[in-house]
Amino acid sequence: MIGEDGVWELRPRRSGIAMSLAAALALVVGGVYAGGAIGWTAAVFFGVVSLGLVRQLRTGRALVRVDPDGLTLGGWGATLRQRRLLWHEVQGIILWTRIERGERLDLLSAVPSSFLDPDAGPTEPAEVTAALLEHSTPLVDCRLDADELRVALDGAHVEVEVVDRRPPR
């Protein structure tokens, strides 16, 4: 849903974190009930884990943020750094699927304007994939419909083409 200020965010569902939190709290109760050194150690350990999970539930960052000024892609993998691209730097947005080790991973990639420069852009398939991954964020634990993204871009008054290359599920 687009806010009054033209901002739209895609956030992951938090059901996995919520289930982990419930399990950790159950183990805290079990540790207290068991008593003794092992029980209390388990209770303290899972209590600390619970605090971390509560923090994740409250402060989860958006995977994608669309606003009138630009596009923000959430961090993933080894780096949690978010990448911000202004709209004049973005040629288009591609929704695509990468299959690695038998696992399907849907990605959203921003295609920078420099990517299409015939003199400076990547030419080899491996270079193209690496360049796309540099400006990508995985669509993990969420669903994104291309039409929903187009509506968000219209709401932000942005003229960027969205191409959906994901195979049907």
Side-chain angles (χ1 to χ4, degrees), residues 1-147:
M1 185 165 151
I2 303 168
E4 292 177 17
D5 51 359
V7 174
W8 175 85
E9 291 183 338
L10 176 68
R11 293 184 176 275
R13 287 178 271 168
R14 298 189 177 143
S15 57
I17 296 172
M19 288 189 299
S20 298
L21 177 60
L25 291 174
L27 289 169
V28 167
V29 171
V32 169
Y33 182 72
I38 293 176
W40 286 106
T41 302
V44 169
F45 174 78
F46 288 110
V48 171
V49 169
S50 297
L51 292 175
L53 291 170
V54 167
R55 182 176 175 266
Q56 269 189 310
L57 275 173
R58 296 194 69 210
T59 62
R61 293 194 310 195
L63 294 174
V64 179
R65 178 184 164 96
V66 172
D67 60 55
D69 298 326
L71 175 71
T72 304
L73 301 175
W76 65 289
T79 174
L80 293 177
R81 163 181 76 84
Q82 290 187 325
R83 289 165 312 287
R84 175 92 172 139
L85 295 166
L86 300 177
W87 288 121
H88 71 272
E89 300 172 326
V90 178
Q91 181 70 31
I93 296 174
I94 300 175
L95 301 171
W96 60 293
T97 299
R98 182 176 186 191
I99 298 176
E100 189 171 302
R101 293 185 215 108
E103 294 289 319
R104 175 186 167 135
L105 178 63
D106 288 340
L107 296 145
L108 179 145
S109 296
V111 180
S113 300
S114 61
F115 189 81
L116 301 177
D117 181 7
D119 297 327
T123 56
E124 297 297 319
E127 292 174 348
V128 171
T129 301
L132 277 177
L133 288 174
E134 185 178 330
H135 299 287
S136 296
T137 192
L139 303 175
V140 177
D141 200 23
C142 65
R143 291 183 188 261
L144 175 61
D145 182 51
D147 292 331

